[in-house]
Amino acid sequence: HNLTSGLEYTLSIQPENILGKGTEMFVSTLLNETRPPETPQLYPPVLLNSTSIRVEWNEVECTQRIARYVIQYNISDGSSSNEVITNAETTSIVITGLSRYSLYSISIAAMNSIGTSLFSEIFTFFTFDSELTDLSAVVFTTSVQLSWEEIISNNNITYTYEVAFI
């Protein structure tokens, strides 16, 4: 029979001989998962600052308990390759220590006792060269004066600044 893993089946067993049929017995069984989990869906990473991101993904449904998630992230020029392993209850992490002004790629896979899922769609993100520091605001009756330390770029990039009222 073509049974589907992860589903519960009820089986009946009834002995029979030349004198007739015996008592029918029923047994329920859960057919164990026999394949790796489905691939988690990775959401776009959120830049927290010039060296950190927050990564989130969906929880994978699987009859075999998910053991952990594996997040792989790499600098696109190949100079750095990293892997973070989380427990099964985690669906978000903060990755720190990234290189400034770098293009990264990131993906995730789920693992259980059977194996590892395929890795998710790859997201790319770009870390900042630097970040604003010493931001201050002085409020007057009809205006606000903002000041900050200018970003000094290591990559000969000229920054413009946008101020928005929310």
Side-chain angles (χ1 to χ4, degrees):
H1 288 51
N2 291 327
L3 303 178
T4 303
S5 66
L7 295 180
E8 185 172 347
Y9 291 92
T10 301
L11 308 171
S12 71
I13 301 170
Q14 186 176 30
E16 183 178 351
N17 63 22
I18 59 169
L19 299 175
K21 293 183 179 184
T23 304
E24 187 174 19
M25 307 275 293
F26 296 93
V27 64
S28 292
T29 184
L30 179 64
L31 190 59
N32 286 333
E33 192 78 46
T34 57
R35 58 186 164 82
E38 295 296 319
T39 302
Q41 178 184 353
L42 180 66
Y43 303 119
V46 176
L47 290 169
L48 301 177
N49 57 44
S50 60
T51 61
S52 302
I53 61 167
R54 183 176 59 247
V55 181
E56 296 182 18
W57 58 92
N58 71 315
E59 183 177 353
V60 174
E61 296 295 326
C62 186
T63 56
Q64 280 285 46
R65 186 175 157 327
I66 298 295
R68 57 188 171 265
Y69 293 98
V70 179
I71 299 101
Q72 290 183 343
Y73 61 99
N74 309 295
I75 292 182
S76 294
D77 68 5
S79 64
S80 174
S81 179
N82 300 283
E83 187 172 272
V84 175
I85 298 176
T86 70
N87 63 38
E89 291 74 36
T90 301
T91 57
S92 71
I93 61 166
V94 172
I95 297 175
T96 61
L98 301 174
S99 297
R100 290 182 171 160
Y101 196 68
S102 296
L103 180 63
Y104 279 88
S105 61
I106 188 167
S107 63
I108 186 170
M111 298 174 72
N112 65 13
S113 60
I114 305 299
T116 303
S117 73
L118 296 175
F119 273 85
S120 68
E121 171 186 1
I122 295 173
F123 278 97
T124 58
F125 63 93
F126 198 75
T127 55
F128 304 126
D129 185 31
S130 190
E131 53 198 56
L132 287 177
T133 57
D134 298 327
L135 179 63
S136 66
V138 178
V139 178
F140 299 100
T141 305
T142 59
S143 63
V144 176
Q145 177 184 342
L146 300 174
S147 63
W148 57 86
E149 173 118 0
E150 184 178 1
I151 294 175
I152 306 300
S153 173
N154 296 328
N155 299 295
N156 297 322
I157 295 175
T158 302
Y159 284 90
T160 59
Y161 303 95
E162 181 179 321
V163 177
F165 292 92
I166 301 174

